[in-house]
Amino acid sequence: MKKMGQRLWLLATVAVMGVGMVTTVPAQAATKTVKVTKVKRAAYHATKGTIYTSKKLNKVRGKAKSYQYVTLYVTKHATIKQNGKKKIYYYINTSKVKGWLWRGDLKFGKATPSVASMSATMAQRFVKQANVYRAAKGIAPLSLDAARVNVLKTHAKWLTLGEKSQTEIDWDAYNSQAAKYGVPTDTSLMEIGSTSSKADLKNSQRLGQMTIEFFMITGHNQPDYTQAVLKATTTKIGIYWFNDHGTVWFILLYD
């Protein structure tokens, strides 16, 4: 572990792995609805494609990438003829968005929630499990510190992610954010990890458990009490997860 900045230490480690505004599209060939079929409501998700307000395909509801973390429920199929060619569009009907999307842009199954939306749940689970291990050794429980979490949420201001999971920290920018939230910079420790495993990213339980194992468990599934989060001197922590181009990073900040 190297001493960095004003006695702030960094252990950089990497794991093993509302309805949108309607807009009109440029003039195009007239469309003709050949057939509409009602189907049993089924869950899909999408990361690309254009969602149209009607089967005429002349007004855009929004882009599917804006709803990539939203499960899109399909209730109808429509065969639409345009320029002499037939395509099948699916009607999606959810509280977030309604409209028609080409079936080739949809994938069957529920969407994976965003990492940001899972972060609070994973943090509570992380603290709970850490305290189970601490109690087993008679160590007082630690708490999740909102100030530290807020500092981690500003990671874009002081953390740069490079190739091959390399990280670089602008310590002046970090100290500025830490001071803003009242977090001391001379006694704080930070550990960083990441994963790009699709299995880990499946849901909050899988990702949260992976993080617990990364920070707290070594061989034979036994808690490693030499890790700082399991030391008696650690009383407060901040932990946060965020996504960057398919890789999820998690940062632990503690005293």
Side-chain angles (χ1 to χ4, degrees), residues 53-67:
T53 62
S54 74
K55 299 185 292 297
K56 293 180 180 180
L57 310 182
N58 60 351
K59 290 184 178 181
V60 175
R61 176 69 73 191
K63 295 295 184 180
K65 66 180 180 181
S66 298
Y67 304 96

mmCIF file with all atom_site columns, all heavy atoms in Angstrom, residues 53-67:
data_model
loop_
_atom_site.group_PDB
_atom_site.id
_atom_site.type_symbol
_atom_site.label_atom_id
_atom_site.label_alt_id
_atom_site.label_comp_id
_atom_site.label_asym_id
_atom_site.label_entity_id
_atom_site.label_seq_id
_atom_site.pdbx_PDB_ins_code
_atom_site.Cartn_x
_atom_site.Cartn_y
_atom_site.Cartn_z
_atom_site.occupancy
_atom_site.B_iso_or_equiv
_atom_site.pdbx_formal_charge
_atom_site.auth_seq_id
_atom_site.auth_comp_id
_atom_site.auth_asym_id
_atom_site.auth_atom_id
_atom_site.pdbx_PDB_model_num
ATOM 1   N N   . THR A 1 53 ? -44.830 6.684  -31.780 1.00 0.00 ? 53 THR A N   1
ATOM 2   C CA  . THR A 1 53 ? -46.104 6.863  -31.085 1.00 0.00 ? 53 THR A CA  1
ATOM 3   C C   . THR A 1 53 ? -47.221 6.036  -31.704 1.00 0.00 ? 53 THR A C   1
ATOM 4   O O   . THR A 1 53 ? -48.176 5.670  -31.010 1.00 0.00 ? 53 THR A O   1
ATOM 5   C CB  . THR A 1 53 ? -46.527 8.341  -31.103 1.00 0.00 ? 53 THR A CB  1
ATOM 6   O OG1 . THR A 1 53 ? -46.724 8.767  -32.463 1.00 0.00 ? 53 THR A OG1 1
ATOM 7   C CG2 . THR A 1 53 ? -45.475 9.212  -30.439 1.00 0.00 ? 53 THR A CG2 1
ATOM 8   N N   . SER A 1 54 ? -47.122 5.742  -32.979 1.00 0.00 ? 54 SER A N   1
ATOM 9   C CA  . SER A 1 54 ? -48.188 4.999  -33.657 1.00 0.00 ? 54 SER A CA  1
ATOM 10  C C   . SER A 1 54 ? -47.616 4.093  -34.733 1.00 0.00 ? 54 SER A C   1
ATOM 11  O O   . SER A 1 54 ? -46.418 4.158  -35.055 1.00 0.00 ? 54 SER A O   1
ATOM 12  C CB  . SER A 1 54 ? -49.190 5.968  -34.292 1.00 0.00 ? 54 SER A CB  1
ATOM 13  O OG  . SER A 1 54 ? -48.639 6.579  -35.457 1.00 0.00 ? 54 SER A OG  1
ATOM 14  N N   . LYS A 1 55 ? -48.479 3.307  -35.333 1.00 0.00 ? 55 LYS A N   1
ATOM 15  C CA  . LYS A 1 55 ? -48.057 2.376  -36.379 1.00 0.00 ? 55 LYS A CA  1
ATOM 16  C C   . LYS A 1 55 ? -47.707 3.108  -37.683 1.00 0.00 ? 55 LYS A C   1
ATOM 17  O O   . LYS A 1 55 ? -47.160 2.505  -38.602 1.00 0.00 ? 55 LYS A O   1
ATOM 18  C CB  . LYS A 1 55 ? -49.161 1.343  -36.625 1.00 0.00 ? 55 LYS A CB  1
ATOM 19  C CG  . LYS A 1 55 ? -49.491 0.489  -35.408 1.00 0.00 ? 55 LYS A CG  1
ATOM 20  C CD  . LYS A 1 55 ? -50.489 -0.597 -35.722 1.00 0.00 ? 55 LYS A CD  1
ATOM 21  C CE  . LYS A 1 55 ? -51.869 -0.039 -36.033 1.00 0.00 ? 55 LYS A CE  1
ATOM 22  N NZ  . LYS A 1 55 ? -52.465 0.677  -34.870 1.00 0.00 ? 55 LYS A NZ  1
ATOM 23  N N   . LYS A 1 56 ? -48.003 4.406  -37.759 1.00 0.00 ? 56 LYS A N   1
ATOM 24  C CA  . LYS A 1 56 ? -47.626 5.183  -38.949 1.00 0.00 ? 56 LYS A CA  1
ATOM 25  C C   . LYS A 1 56 ? -46.118 5.450  -38.977 1.00 0.00 ? 56 LYS A C   1
ATOM 26  O O   . LYS A 1 56 ? -45.558 5.830  -40.005 1.00 0.00 ? 56 LYS A O   1
ATOM 27  C CB  . LYS A 1 56 ? -48.389 6.511  -38.965 1.00 0.00 ? 56 LYS A CB  1
ATOM 28  C CG  . LYS A 1 56 ? -49.885 6.361  -39.168 1.00 0.00 ? 56 LYS A CG  1
ATOM 29  C CD  . LYS A 1 56 ? -50.564 7.725  -39.181 1.00 0.00 ? 56 LYS A CD  1
ATOM 30  C CE  . LYS A 1 56 ? -52.073 7.584  -39.377 1.00 0.00 ? 56 LYS A CE  1
ATOM 31  N NZ  . LYS A 1 56 ? -52.758 8.907  -39.402 1.00 0.00 ? 56 LYS A NZ  1
ATOM 32  N N   . LEU A 1 57 ? -45.489 5.289  -37.823 1.00 0.00 ? 57 LEU A N   1
ATOM 33  C CA  . LEU A 1 57 ? -44.038 5.474  -37.683 1.00 0.00 ? 57 LEU A CA  1
ATOM 34  C C   . LEU A 1 57 ? -43.573 6.872  -38.108 1.00 0.00 ? 57 LEU A C   1
ATOM 35  O O   . LEU A 1 57 ? -42.467 7.053  -38.637 1.00 0.00 ? 57 LEU A O   1
ATOM 36  C CB  . LEU A 1 57 ? -43.272 4.415  -38.497 1.00 0.00 ? 57 LEU A CB  1
ATOM 37  C CG  . LEU A 1 57 ? -43.690 2.958  -38.291 1.00 0.00 ? 57 LEU A CG  1
ATOM 38  C CD1 . LEU A 1 57 ? -42.802 2.042  -39.117 1.00 0.00 ? 57 LEU A CD1 1
ATOM 39  C CD2 . LEU A 1 57 ? -43.621 2.578  -36.819 1.00 0.00 ? 57 LEU A CD2 1
ATOM 40  N N   . ASN A 1 58 ? -44.404 7.881  -37.878 1.00 0.00 ? 58 ASN A N   1
ATOM 41  C CA  . ASN A 1 58 ? -44.048 9.238  -38.299 1.00 0.00 ? 58 ASN A CA  1
ATOM 42  C C   . ASN A 1 58 ? -43.778 10.197 -37.146 1.00 0.00 ? 58 ASN A C   1
ATOM 43  O O   . ASN A 1 58 ? -43.406 11.349 -37.357 1.00 0.00 ? 58 ASN A O   1
ATOM 44  C CB  . ASN A 1 58 ? -45.135 9.816  -39.194 1.00 0.00 ? 58 ASN A CB  1
ATOM 45  C CG  . ASN A 1 58 ? -46.492 9.892  -38.498 1.00 0.00 ? 58 ASN A CG  1
ATOM 46  O OD1 . ASN A 1 58 ? -46.658 9.369  -37.399 1.00 0.00 ? 58 ASN A OD1 1
ATOM 47  N ND2 . ASN A 1 58 ? -47.460 10.519 -39.141 1.00 0.00 ? 58 ASN A ND2 1
ATOM 48  N N   . LYS A 1 59 ? -43.971 9.724  -35.893 1.00 0.00 ? 59 LYS A N   1
ATOM 49  C CA  . LYS A 1 59 ? -43.656 10.540 -34.734 1.00 0.00 ? 59 LYS A CA  1
ATOM 50  C C   . LYS A 1 59 ? -42.881 9.705  -33.726 1.00 0.00 ? 59 LYS A C   1
ATOM 51  O O   . LYS A 1 59 ? -43.275 8.575  -33.404 1.00 0.00 ? 59 LYS A O   1
ATOM 52  C CB  . LYS A 1 59 ? -44.925 11.100 -34.087 1.00 0.00 ? 59 LYS A CB  1
ATOM 53  C CG  . LYS A 1 59 ? -45.621 12.162 -34.932 1.00 0.00 ? 59 LYS A CG  1
ATOM 54  C CD  . LYS A 1 59 ? -46.823 12.754 -34.204 1.00 0.00 ? 59 LYS A CD  1
ATOM 55  C CE  . LYS A 1 59 ? -47.489 13.841 -35.039 1.00 0.00 ? 59 LYS A CE  1
ATOM 56  N NZ  . LYS A 1 59 ? -48.655 14.439 -34.336 1.00 0.00 ? 59 LYS A NZ  1
ATOM 57  N N   . VAL A 1 60 ? -41.798 10.268 -33.241 1.00 0.00 ? 60 VAL A N   1
ATOM 58  C CA  . VAL A 1 60 ? -40.911 9.545  -32.317 1.00 0.00 ? 60 VAL A CA  1
ATOM 59  C C   . VAL A 1 60 ? -41.305 9.829  -30.871 1.00 0.00 ? 60 VAL A C   1
ATOM 60  O O   . VAL A 1 60 ? -41.423 10.994 -30.462 1.00 0.00 ? 60 VAL A O   1
ATOM 61  C CB  . VAL A 1 60 ? -39.439 9.952  -32.542 1.00 0.00 ? 60 VAL A CB  1
ATOM 62  C CG1 . VAL A 1 60 ? -38.539 9.291  -31.499 1.00 0.00 ? 60 VAL A CG1 1
ATOM 63  C CG2 . VAL A 1 60 ? -38.997 9.572  -33.941 1.00 0.00 ? 60 VAL A CG2 1
ATOM 64  N N   . ARG A 1 61 ? -41.498 8.755  -30.120 1.00 0.00 ? 61 ARG A N   1
ATOM 65  C CA  . ARG A 1 61 ? -41.753 8.885  -28.695 1.00 0.00 ? 61 ARG A CA  1
ATOM 66  C C   . ARG A 1 61 ? -40.447 9.064  -27.933 1.00 0.00 ? 61 ARG A C   1
ATOM 67  O O   . ARG A 1 61 ? -40.350 9.820  -26.978 1.00 0.00 ? 61 ARG A O   1
ATOM 68  C CB  . ARG A 1 61 ? -42.485 7.639  -28.186 1.00 0.00 ? 61 ARG A CB  1
ATOM 69  C CG  . ARG A 1 61 ? -42.721 7.597  -26.681 1.00 0.00 ? 61 ARG A CG  1
ATOM 70  C CD  . ARG A 1 61 ? -43.727 8.632  -26.249 1.00 0.00 ? 61 ARG A CD  1
ATOM 71  N NE  . ARG A 1 61 ? -45.077 8.244  -26.650 1.00 0.00 ? 61 ARG A NE  1
ATOM 72  C CZ  . ARG A 1 61 ? -46.120 9.060  -26.586 1.00 0.00 ? 61 ARG A CZ  1
ATOM 73  N NH1 . ARG A 1 61 ? -45.967 10.308 -26.163 1.00 0.00 ? 61 ARG A NH1 1
ATOM 74  N NH2 . ARG A 1 61 ? -47.322 8.647  -26.950 1.00 0.00 ? 61 ARG A NH2 1
ATOM 75  N N   . GLY A 1 62 ? -39.426 8.335  -28.357 1.00 0.00 ? 62 GLY A N   1
ATOM 76  C CA  . GLY A 1 62 ? -38.132 8.425  -27.701 1.00 0.00 ? 62 GLY A CA  1
ATOM 77  C C   . GLY A 1 62 ? -37.199 7.348  -28.197 1.00 0.00 ? 62 GLY A C   1
ATOM 78  O O   . GLY A 1 62 ? -37.544 6.545  -29.069 1.00 0.00 ? 62 GLY A O   1
ATOM 79  N N   . LYS A 1 63 ? -35.997 7.334  -27.652 1.00 0.00 ? 63 LYS A N   1
ATOM 80  C CA  . LYS A 1 63 ? -34.996 6.336  -28.003 1.00 0.00 ? 63 LYS A CA  1
ATOM 81  C C   . LYS A 1 63 ? -34.972 5.243  -26.942 1.00 0.00 ? 63 LYS A C   1
ATOM 82  O O   . LYS A 1 63 ? -35.030 5.526  -25.743 1.00 0.00 ? 63 LYS A O   1
ATOM 83  C CB  . LYS A 1 63 ? -33.609 6.974  -28.107 1.00 0.00 ? 63 LYS A CB  1
ATOM 84  C CG  . LYS A 1 63 ? -33.488 7.994  -29.246 1.00 0.00 ? 63 LYS A CG  1
ATOM 85  C CD  . LYS A 1 63 ? -33.641 7.331  -30.602 1.00 0.00 ? 63 LYS A CD  1
ATOM 86  C CE  . LYS A 1 63 ? -33.423 8.331  -31.729 1.00 0.00 ? 63 LYS A CE  1
ATOM 87  N NZ  . LYS A 1 63 ? -33.560 7.702  -33.063 1.00 0.00 ? 63 LYS A NZ  1
ATOM 88  N N   . ALA A 1 64 ? -34.874 4.008  -27.394 1.00 0.00 ? 64 ALA A N   1
ATOM 89  C CA  . ALA A 1 64 ? -34.904 2.877  -26.466 1.00 0.00 ? 64 ALA A CA  1
ATOM 90  C C   . ALA A 1 64 ? -33.775 2.947  -25.442 1.00 0.00 ? 64 ALA A C   1
ATOM 91  O O   . ALA A 1 64 ? -33.943 2.509  -24.303 1.00 0.00 ? 64 ALA A O   1
ATOM 92  C CB  . ALA A 1 64 ? -34.828 1.567  -27.246 1.00 0.00 ? 64 ALA A CB  1
ATOM 93  N N   . LYS A 1 65 ? -32.622 3.505  -25.802 1.00 0.00 ? 65 LYS A N   1
ATOM 94  C CA  . LYS A 1 65 ? -31.497 3.561  -24.866 1.00 0.00 ? 65 LYS A CA  1
ATOM 95  C C   . LYS A 1 65 ? -31.819 4.385  -23.629 1.00 0.00 ? 65 LYS A C   1
ATOM 96  O O   . LYS A 1 65 ? -31.183 4.229  -22.582 1.00 0.00 ? 65 LYS A O   1
ATOM 97  C CB  . LYS A 1 65 ? -30.249 4.110  -25.552 1.00 0.00 ? 65 LYS A CB  1
ATOM 98  C CG  . LYS A 1 65 ? -30.339 5.554  -25.997 1.00 0.00 ? 65 LYS A CG  1
ATOM 99  C CD  . LYS A 1 65 ? -29.040 5.995  -26.668 1.00 0.00 ? 65 LYS A CD  1
ATOM 100 C CE  . LYS A 1 65 ? -29.113 7.451  -27.121 1.00 0.00 ? 65 LYS A CE  1
ATOM 101 N NZ  . LYS A 1 65 ? -27.841 7.860  -27.789 1.00 0.00 ? 65 LYS A NZ  1
ATOM 102 N N   . SER A 1 66 ? -32.827 5.268  -23.751 1.00 0.00 ? 66 SER A N   1
ATOM 103 C CA  . SER A 1 66 ? -33.243 6.066  -22.593 1.00 0.00 ? 66 SER A CA  1
ATOM 104 C C   . SER A 1 66 ? -34.006 5.216  -21.589 1.00 0.00 ? 66 SER A C   1
ATOM 105 O O   . SER A 1 66 ? -34.223 5.643  -20.450 1.00 0.00 ? 66 SER A O   1
ATOM 106 C CB  . SER A 1 66 ? -34.125 7.239  -23.037 1.00 0.00 ? 66 SER A CB  1
ATOM 107 O OG  . SER A 1 66 ? -33.431 8.110  -23.896 1.00 0.00 ? 66 SER A OG  1
ATOM 108 N N   . TYR A 1 67 ? -34.411 4.012  -22.006 1.00 0.00 ? 67 TYR A N   1
ATOM 109 C CA  . TYR A 1 67 ? -35.194 3.125  -21.148 1.00 0.00 ? 67 TYR A CA  1
ATOM 110 C C   . TYR A 1 67 ? -34.509 1.767  -20.993 1.00 0.00 ? 67 TYR A C   1
ATOM 111 O O   . TYR A 1 67 ? -35.159 0.756  -20.760 1.00 0.00 ? 67 TYR A O   1
ATOM 112 C CB  . TYR A 1 67 ? -36.595 2.936  -21.742 1.00 0.00 ? 67 TYR A CB  1
ATOM 113 C CG  . TYR A 1 67 ? -37.328 4.238  -21.967 1.00 0.00 ? 67 TYR A CG  1
ATOM 114 C CD1 . TYR A 1 67 ? -37.315 4.851  -23.216 1.00 0.00 ? 67 TYR A CD1 1
ATOM 115 C CD2 . TYR A 1 67 ? -38.014 4.872  -20.928 1.00 0.00 ? 67 TYR A CD2 1
ATOM 116 C CE1 . TYR A 1 67 ? -37.970 6.062  -23.429 1.00 0.00 ? 67 TYR A CE1 1
ATOM 117 C CE2 . TYR A 1 67 ? -38.668 6.079  -21.133 1.00 0.00 ? 67 TYR A CE2 1
ATOM 118 C CZ  . TYR A 1 67 ? -38.647 6.666  -22.385 1.00 0.00 ? 67 TYR A CZ  1
ATOM 119 O OH  . TYR A 1 67 ? -39.288 7.870  -22.578 1.00 0.00 ? 67 TYR A OH  1
#
